[in-house]
Amino acid sequence: QVQLVESGGGLVQAGGSLRLSCAASGSIFSFNVMGWYRQAPGKQRELVAAISSAGSTNYADSVKGRFTISRDNAKNTVYLQMSSLKPEDTAVYYCNTKWSRGSRDYDYWGQGTQVTVSS
C-alpha cells in the first residue's frame, strides 16, 4: 500500500508564491515518476509538472518559468515551488506517483490540497 500526503496549499495573492510538498510512504518502487496535477472547478484534471527518479522534468506550458518541481529520493518527497501565481492557477492540486513493474502498472494519488490565488 502506498500513501501520498500533500501539504502547503492555501490562499495567496496574485504574484505570490507557495510551496507544495508531498510525502510518499509504503511499498514504493525506486524507479518512479512523481508529479503534480490540478483540477479547477468544472475542468478536467491536468498535469502540472512531473519528475522522474533520475531527475528528468516535464511541465505544462502554462506553468513553465513559474513553477519548479523537485524531489528528495531519500525522503520519497516531491515539491512544487510555485511563483508568480495567477488566479487561473486556482485549483485542487493532487500529488501522484506511478511506475511499471513487470506487466503491471501502479498509480497512486494523494487526497489533494487547495490552492487559491486571489486577484
Side-chain angles (χ1 to χ4, degrees):
Q1 190 73 3
V2 173
Q3 287 189 324
L4 301 173
V5 179
E6 300 115 331
S7 60
L11 173 64
V12 64
Q13 287 189 332
S17 299
L18 279 176
R19 188 191 194 210
L20 305 183
S21 299
C22 172
S25 61
S27 301
I28 303 164
F29 187 50
S30 298
F31 300 99
N32 61 63
V33 175
M34 300 189 78
W36 290 95
Y37 290 72
R38 66 187 181 188
Q39 187 166 19
K43 295 188 176 182
Q44 288 189 329
R45 190 174 297 189
E46 62 175 0
L47 173 69
V48 176
I51 183 168
S52 72
S53 52
S56 298
T57 58
N58 181 38
Y59 293 93
D61 288 342
S62 59
V63 307
K64 283 181 180 177
R66 299 189 298 122
F67 290 11
T68 301
I69 191 170
S70 61
R71 64 186 288 167
D72 184 335
N73 289 334
K75 296 181 179 179
N76 285 324
T77 300
V78 63
Y79 307 95
L80 186 68
Q81 178 66 47
M82 304 185 292
S83 303
S84 301
L85 283 161
K86 305 175 181 179
E88 50 264 44
D89 294 318
T90 296
V92 178
Y93 283 69
Y94 296 92
C95 179
N96 171 266
T97 186
K98 62 183 70 176
W99 64 88
S100 297
R101 195 167 188 185
S103 61
R104 186 173 171 181
D105 296 328
Y106 298 81
D107 194 2
Y108 299 96
W109 294 90
Q111 79 286 355
T113 185
Q114 178 70 46
V115 171
T116 303
V117 184
S118 63
S119 57

